[in-house]
Amino acid sequence: MSIATTYRTCPRSGLQFESQAEKLMLANAVAAVVFLLIGGILAIGVVLTRWPSIHWLEAATFYQVLTAHGIDMLIFWIIFFEVAVLYFCASTLLRCRIATPKIAWTAFALMVIGGVMNNIAVYQGGSSVMMTSYVPMMAAPSFYLGLILFAVGALIACFVFLGTLVVAKAEKTYQGSVPLVTFGAITATIIAVFTIVSGAIILVPTYLLSIGVIDAVDPLVYRTIWWAFGHSSQQINVATHISIWYAVAAIVFGARPMSERVSRGAFLLYIVFLQLASAHHLLADPGMSTEWKVVNTSYFMYFAVLASMIHGLTVPGAMEVAQRQKGYNKGLFEWLRKAPWGNPSFSGVFISIIGFGFLGGISGVMMGTEQLNMIIHNTIYVPGHFHATVVIGTTLSFMALTYFLIPVLFKREMIAPTLAKWQPYLFGLSMYGFCLVMMGAGTLGVSRRHWDMAFQGSALAYEWPGAAYMMMGLVGVFGIAAITGGAIYIYVTVGSLLWGKKLDIGTVSDRPTPVPPTAPAAAVQTYGSSGLVAPGSFVLALIFLAAFILYYFINWKYLSQLWGLS
Amino acid sequence: MTAISPPSDRLWWKHPLDRVEGIWITIAFVWCMVMFFMMIYWHMYGNQNLSTETYKTTPEMFTAKAQAMVDQYTVRTEVDGAYPVVAPPAGADVYMIARLWNFWPILQLEKDQTYRLHLTSMDYNHGFSLQPANINIQIVPGYEHVVTVTPNQSGTYSVVCNEYCGIGHHTMVGRIYVK
Ligand code: HEM
Ligand SMILES: [Cu+2]
Ligand SMILES: [Cu+2]
């Protein structure tokens, strides 16, 4: 098949970019960063209002800003970036042209229109319903319509990705199986299709309700289906950012997976179990049976947890094996000490891995335990948990990948490399603090999505303990530090794109150069023969497990002191 | 060879796993099983399990039941008569209405006695967040959730709404006294 397009081989990375795919990646990444910028500006309003001694915005503005912050960050920033990652994992890694570029542009246009429409609806007022938009609280029709258009666009992008895999196979641009990172991206896409369908099942009737075509949507049915969408969309993020962890390990260290079988098997567990585990959002709800809750949160969720625990070992393990092969063999941790801590792609990913596991992972399992959920549900512990997953896990990984892409995809020299070097530390570590103090305040009961912890104007106001006020103050301090870190990322990214020195684009050809077949290498390790290849990562994993077990039983102890409930 | 290029073994599912992976998968799996049985154990031997007793209801039906309780057991009123304080006998069915933006009425319970607490909302979703104990239950309109509670300490408890319910959300606080 002859299709008029060109293929550029990047001289810095050896990666090959097809021209249409490259433009699409760039457009999606730029749109993502724009929404991150908007969401970040909104975060200032959110955080300075929840900081009790500042208490900046009026109640109505606060809820409006919080609604937009949640949607712009969680949906628009993340999904635009994910589309760019999907195209990268298909077209670039498999060295083929992108399937149906025109349709891919249509998808992009729908996503932009949807995103803008939804934002306008929120800023017009009357749609401050939070991203969950639980019925019967209603937003303007354009709020739902914007989300639906965006979702349709994202769904089309998923099919373009799948189509590109078919192109690569048909045009034989690679041999054997797809790379692990692409495999992870396929996982994310399969989950995405399920997710978007659930989203449509619930958002389309809600849209019809908002324009008066139907007259009711059951609130509990809404919550159940909404979370089938809301929860599984988080699994898209997890699958994507774990793929990025593997990709960065490969780029920075030349690391290969310790075992393809284990890493891919763990991705498969996500497909099979993760999206079913949405019950943990409904543990405090009426109407759901105990059996359903237990089966759903354990059988389904724990297999997904198992998968994440596996990646938590195998990603650092892959780095460790690669470092040890380079001779960093002393003791348990020389490989880690001698890692390129000044390379923001590496430091970003490493801070992401640790924070995602220790803060996001452990707290997520607490909330997802049927009974423990009662001491956490809807407290500010919940945003504490998910900022550890979607910010430290997903967002920081995306940032780390961007630093690699600036010279490779943008073809620009990075401006302010010193700022970029410190950015993951500032952003990541202040987010660690931010999440911890939110979880602390949540443990004392402080509510999420709440304008005033002093309850002004309430006849029966409650007084929170002083420690709760102190922690919410620290939320403000860490939050502002994190926002500064986010601003640096945007400055470096946008600045490099606009003013960075143009770099050599490399050789351009009108036909793809296929991925060279990899010679079957003798396996470096076989089970049970060579002992432990990654002892340092194993020790890290054991420390993680110890923290996990300890904190788990502390929470049960806390629960056991409450009122009897049955 | 690396994670961003095709695997050298076509048959990746036959790729051997290292001992470190094998051990970790085993440990992680066992831990997941412990967590699974812990939930079931707590259902059998623990004292804090959320009831699943739920009925469909309407604002009218629920208000009528709450009003009957208020008529029968009110001991005094607070906030200039706006909130009756209701002290039903131990073991009784007690009702708390969540609506924009208050919890009504105020309940007065006895320590170490058990009550069947009925919760519903008249309008939007609300949250029942009992402080300082920190017990959090979702309240969904149209559904009457019956939770059996046994207060284990006396004192003044607040019920903070912790599901966003509009502009007055932060004023929505109720009260339960435990004698
Ligand atoms: C950069 C610094 C950031 C700060 C300081 C920040 C701050 C906050 C705070 C304080 C809340 C909770 C407010 C409340 O419940 O009362 C919140 C909510 C939220 N944030 Fe962030 N955030 C940041 C970045 C992000 C990013 C990068 C994402 C997503 C990728 C994100 C997603 C969300 C979501 C989904 C909510 C929940 C909104 C809701 O309850 O509907 N945030 N943020
Ligand atoms: Cu409320
Ligand atoms: Cu509320």
Side-chain angles (χ1 to χ4, degrees):
Chain A
M1 217 189 318
S2 70
I3 277 141
T5 184
T6 56
Y7 299 82
R8 173 179 78 82
T9 302
C10 164
R12 290 163 291 280
S13 60
L15 293 171
Q16 179 179 295
F17 292 91
E18 187 252 348
S19 71
Q20 282 298 328
E22 183 167 23
K23 292 195 191 89
L24 280 159
M25 282 180 233
L26 198 62
N28 279 285
V30 168
V33 172
V34 170
F35 279 105
L36 179 69
L37 173 65
I38 302 173
I41 294 170
L42 296 165
I44 303 174
V46 174
V47 95
L48 290 185
T49 308
R50 293 240 50 175
W51 186 339
S53 54
I54 297 188
H55 205 235
W56 183 36
L57 300 174
E58 288 303 309
T61 324
F62 170 74
Y63 292 126
Q64 199 176 3
V65 161
L66 182 56
T67 303
H69 169 74
I71 297 175
D72 283 341
M73 290 296 208
L74 192 67
I75 303 182
F76 303 148
W77 142 248
I78 288 190
I79 295 182
F80 270 117
F81 202 94
E82 274 164 358
V83 170
V85 171
L86 288 186
Y87 294 161
F88 178 85
C89 290
S91 162
T92 307
L93 294 184
L94 300 180
R95 299 199 180 179
C96 68
R97 67 188 168 81
I98 193 158
T100 61
K102 286 216 182 72
I103 295 181
W105 284 111
T106 314
F108 177 73
L110 280 173
M111 289 167 69
V112 171
I113 295 168
V116 171
M117 184 186 280
N118 175 277
N119 263 268
I120 292 175
V122 176
Y123 303 135
Q124 278 171 338
S127 292
S128 304
V129 293
M130 304 293 138
M131 60 176 186
T132 41
S133 55
Y134 294 135
V135 299
M137 184 186 277
M138 296 303 293
S142 57
F143 175 92
Y144 307 104
L145 191 60
L147 289 178
I148 293 169
L149 291 179
F150 184 87
V152 171
L155 188 61
I156 296 175
C158 289
F159 286 113
V160 171
F161 165 79
L162 294 173
T164 307
L165 299 179
V166 175
V167 169
K169 193 97 212 162
E171 299 183 359
K172 300 201 171 50
T173 57
Y174 70 101
Q175 288 171 15
S177 311
V178 297
L180 175 64
V181 171
T182 308
F183 190 87
I186 297 174
T187 313
T189 309
I190 294 172
I191 300 173
V193 172
F194 170 88
T195 302
I196 296 171
V197 170
S198 316
I201 294 175
I202 199 61
L203 284 176
V204 171
T206 311
Y207 170 65
L208 295 178
L209 178 64
S210 75
I211 56 173
V213 174
I214 55 176
D215 36 59
V217 171
D218 183 87
L220 198 56
V221 171
Y222 179 95
R223 289 173 58 83
T224 311
I225 305 178
W226 196 90
W227 281 111
F229 154 73
H231 174 75
S232 40
S233 68
Q234 299 322 304
Q235 308 326 314
I236 311 174
N237 303 341
V238 173
T240 311
H241 75 233
I242 290 180
S243 302
I244 292 179
W245 293 351
Y246 281 111
V248 168
I251 291 162
V252 174
F253 298 102
R256 43 186 259 149
M258 290 166 69
S259 154
E260 294 276 356
R261 175 163 54 148
V262 171
S263 299
R264 287 175 198 238
F267 276 122
L268 287 176
L269 284 179
Y270 282 158
I271 302 188
V272 183
F273 294 107
L274 257 187
Q275 67 269 43
L276 297 172
S278 54
H280 60 261
H281 294 273
L282 307 168
L283 292 176
D285 280 33
M288 309 289 176
S289 76
T290 301
E291 292 73 22
W292 185 72
K293 287 175 178 173
V294 170
V295 167
N296 198 297
T297 50
S298 56
Y299 178 58
F300 295 148
M301 195 171 91
Y302 291 156
F303 276 102
V305 169
L306 181 67
S308 291
M309 287 175 77
I310 294 173
H311 290 301
L313 173 82
T314 57
V315 177
M319 296 178 179
E320 177 170 355
V321 171
Q323 284 283 79
R324 285 184 187 275
Q325 277 167 359
K326 288 189 199 122
Y328 299 118
N329 246 323
K330 242 187 277 139
L332 278 177
F333 292 117
E334 193 195 15
W335 64 276
L336 191 56
R337 276 200 312 279
K338 297 279 168 66
W341 291 100
N343 174 346
S345 293
F346 167 75
S347 63
V349 161
F350 204 83
I351 294 169
S352 172
I353 295 175
I354 300 292
F356 180 74
F358 278 83
L359 301 173
I362 295 180
S363 62
V365 173
M366 296 313 133
M367 304 193 303
T369 302
E370 198 210 341
Q371 296 92 342
L372 297 180
N373 182 268
M374 281 188 289
I375 55 179
I376 298 174
H377 180 70
N378 268 354
T379 66
I380 199 143
Y381 190 103
V382 177
H385 152 75
F386 67 67
H387 282 76
T389 58
V390 292
V391 185
I392 299 174
T394 311
T395 301
L396 186 52
S397 304
F398 289 180
M399 290 174 168
L401 183 69
T402 312
Y403 293 126
F404 165 73
L405 292 178
I406 288 175
V408 171
L409 174 66
F410 297 178
K411 295 159 283 190
R412 298 290 179 135
E413 195 173 283
M414 188 195 284
I415 62 162
T418 319
L419 267 183
K421 185 167 135 190
W422 290 107
Q423 191 274 341
Y425 295 94
L426 176 61
F427 183 76
L429 299 181
S430 54
M431 261 295 153
Y432 280 21
F434 178 82
C435 295
L436 279 170
V437 286
M438 283 229 251
M439 291 179 204
T443 304
L444 295 171
V446 178
S447 317
R448 71 183 289 199
R449 298 174 165 175
H450 199 279
W451 175 65
D452 185 17
M453 65 190 290
F455 307 101
Q456 14 171 321
S458 172
L460 301 170
Y462 171 64
E463 190 163 326
W464 294 105
Y469 275 92
M470 189 196 70
M471 286 207 252
M472 290 309 291
L474 288 175
V475 166
V477 175
F478 284 121
I480 292 299
I483 291 170
T484 313
I488 294 175
Y489 164 78
I490 292 177
Y491 168 70
V492 172
T493 307
V494 177
S496 302
L497 194 57
L498 295 178
W499 314 298
K501 193 171 121 243
K502 288 209 170 91
L503 295 174
D504 173 19
I505 65 162
T507 50
V508 179
S509 138
D510 56 7
R511 57 179 57 247
T513 320
V515 184
T518 33
V524 277
Q525 69 267 355
T526 34
Y527 175 57
S529 63
S530 58
L532 304 171
V533 284
S537 303
F538 189 60
V539 169
L540 286 179
L542 291 179
I543 295 173
F544 168 78
L545 186 71
F548 197 165
I549 295 176
L550 187 69
Y551 185 60
Y552 183 73
F553 287 108
I554 288 176
N555 275 295
W556 282 103
K557 175 90 184 101
Y558 174 21
L559 180 79
S560 72
Q561 292 161 351
L562 301 185
W563 287 19
L565 293 155
S566 58
Chain B
M1 278 280 278
T2 68
I4 55 171
S5 43
S8 40
D9 312 287
R10 271 186 98 97
L11 304 177
W12 55 263
W13 56 91
K14 293 201 175 150
H15 198 169
L17 69 168
D18 181 68
R19 183 187 281 168
V20 96
E21 294 177 303
I23 298 174
W24 178 244
I25 293 171
T26 313
I27 297 175
F29 181 77
V30 170
W31 172 236
C32 289
M33 287 300 117
V34 170
M35 293 194 295
F36 169 62
F37 283 110
M38 191 63 200
M39 287 195 279
I40 295 172
Y41 168 84
W42 204 262
H43 270 287
M44 296 193 294
Y45 304 105
N47 291 324
Q48 291 80 14
N49 288 291
L50 184 61
S51 132
T52 55
E53 189 180 340
T54 306
Y55 306 96
K56 278 257 183 194
T57 188
T58 61
E60 296 71 35
M61 274 161 61
F62 194 85
T63 311
K65 290 194 274 186
Q67 190 63 50
M69 170 190 75
V70 168
D71 292 344
Q72 201 176 352
Y73 300 117
T74 298
V75 289
R76 61 175 189 279
T77 62
E78 284 190 14
V79 197
D80 301 327
Y83 290 88
V85 179
V86 185
D93 283 283
V94 298
Y95 299 84
M96 190 173 246
I97 293 177
R99 63 189 175 202
L100 300 171
W101 283 287
N102 57 49
F103 289 98
W104 188 90
I106 294 176
L107 301 176
Q108 181 168 306
L109 310 178
E110 275 174 54
K111 182 173 170 244
D112 297 328
Q113 297 296 336
T114 298
Y115 301 84
R116 284 165 51 80
L117 173 63
H118 297 237
L119 297 169
T120 198
S121 159
M122 299 287 111
D123 32 62
Y124 297 154
N125 277 267
H126 293 285
F128 175 94
S129 178
L130 186 77
Q131 300 299 339
N134 199 19
I135 296 170
N136 303 281
I137 301 168
Q138 185 76 26
I139 308 176
V140 182
Y143 292 86
E144 178 172 346
H145 193 181
V146 188
V147 188
T148 309
V149 296
T150 315
N152 61 356
Q153 262 174 18
S154 48
T156 302
Y157 289 86
S158 289
V159 180
V160 175
C161 175
N162 71 355
E163 180 61 79
Y164 169 66
C165 55
I167 189 78
H169 170 50
H170 66 279
T171 62
M172 183 164 167
V173 186
R175 190 168 288 175
I176 298 179
Y177 293 108
V178 178
K179 291 266 176 223

